[in-house]
Amino acid sequence: MRIRPAGAHALLLDCTAPADIPEAALVEAWRAELWRRREQGDLNAVEIVPAARTVLLDGLPDPSATADLLSRWAPAVTAAAAATERAGVAAGATERDGVAAGATEDDGVAAGAGGGDTTIGGGHGAEVVVPVEFDGPDLPVVAGHWGVDVSAVLRRLTSTRFRVAFCGFAPGFPYLTGLPADLALPRLPTPRPRVPAGSVALAGPYAGIYPSASPGGWLLVGRTDLPLFDVDGDPPARLGPGTRVRMVATT
């Protein structure tokens, strides 16, 4: 991990990870630790903004002193990221046919049919259940890339426990991690001029949900009616960094 100055009151953490820890795992470990430290009063920062490989700390009264704290916290954060990655690998080893251990093919259907509050728990790291109509035009394309049929794609998506790594591209657009690296998908050669709001999509190693209509080149697998961004909300983005996400099939 490298710490870089970013203006007079900001630091950029470049989360270069050891070979056995994915950068996404290290970014999430830093995000969680920094948010925890801020909440308990050990860190004075206005903004903590994770991205694919970095975390930005802005609004620091003393960047030099903060950099010293970060260097002291680094070993524990790296150890936490390594432990999380080992746990994820162990869990992934128990999967069969794209269904996580303990999940059933009908698990998502039952959950999606119930309605009611879609958020489980509270605070950072709460789980949000996203009801999805899996009728996207690119489902056969995804199935072809993964070498399975469409029903196996749905089983994989509804059994994966996603986490919001960061938001970007558009206000409230969540980049969701959780899919194995070998299932990364290419974007469309030519982006669509308009992707409807609520579209559930896949690209690279990520899943994502379009909070509003916009151009986009991700592969569309479904759609949800769950509102994702409200400029007057607190916070405005429903799926902020660190939020766990579970997709359920509505039909």
Side-chain angles (χ1 to χ4, degrees):
M1 192 270 293
R2 290 178 290 179
I3 304 171
R4 305 174 184 271
H9 298 286
L11 293 172
L12 186 69
L13 281 65
D14 186 349
C15 296
T16 303
D20 58 339
I21 306 176
E23 289 171 330
L26 191 56
V27 168
E28 169 56 21
W30 270 113
R31 181 212 61 78
E33 180 67 4
L34 293 170
W35 283 16
R36 183 183 73 84
R37 293 278 187 174
R38 184 171 63 177
E39 287 177 349
Q40 69 183 27
D42 295 337
L43 175 67
N44 188 355
V46 175
E47 296 287 349
I48 301 172
V49 185
R53 298 179 179 88
T54 61
V55 180
L56 177 68
L57 292 176
D58 200 3
L60 302 173
D62 188 343
S64 179
T66 301
D68 182 61
L69 288 174
L70 296 175
S71 65
R72 283 186 273 155
W73 296 340
V77 173
T78 301
T84 299
E85 177 60 18
R86 287 194 298 270
V89 170
T94 66
E95 292 186 359
R96 184 184 63 189
D97 299 328
V99 180
T104 66
E105 184 173 352
D106 296 328
D107 180 51
V109 176
D117 190 357
T118 57
T119 301
I120 301 173
H124 304 315
E127 181 178 82
V128 175
V129 178
V130 179
V132 179
E133 178 81 15
F134 285 104
D135 59 355
D138 298 321
L139 273 172
V141 178
V142 174
H145 279 291
W146 288 358
V148 297
D149 58 19
V150 168
S151 62
V153 173
L154 270 59
R155 290 197 298 272
R156 166 65 72 176
L157 295 176
T158 54
S159 67
T160 297
R161 296 309 185 249
F162 293 97
R163 184 181 294 273
V164 182
F166 57 95
C167 295
F169 168 63
F173 185 101
Y175 285 73
L176 307 175
T177 57
L179 292 172
D182 60 356
L183 296 185
L185 293 163
R187 289 169 171 77
L188 295 174
T190 302
R192 292 181 171 92
R194 187 180 185 278
V195 175
S199 294
V200 179
L202 307 174
Y206 300 109
I209 308 173
Y210 287 77
S212 57
S214 70
W218 290 33
L219 301 180
L220 305 184
V221 296
R223 52 194 169 89
T224 181
D225 292 329
L226 188 69
L228 295 185
F229 187 79
D230 178 1
V231 70
D232 296 319
D234 184 21
R238 184 158 198 167
L239 302 182
T243 304
R244 292 177 289 117
V245 174
R246 180 160 56 93
M247 298 183 190
V248 297
T250 57
T251 59

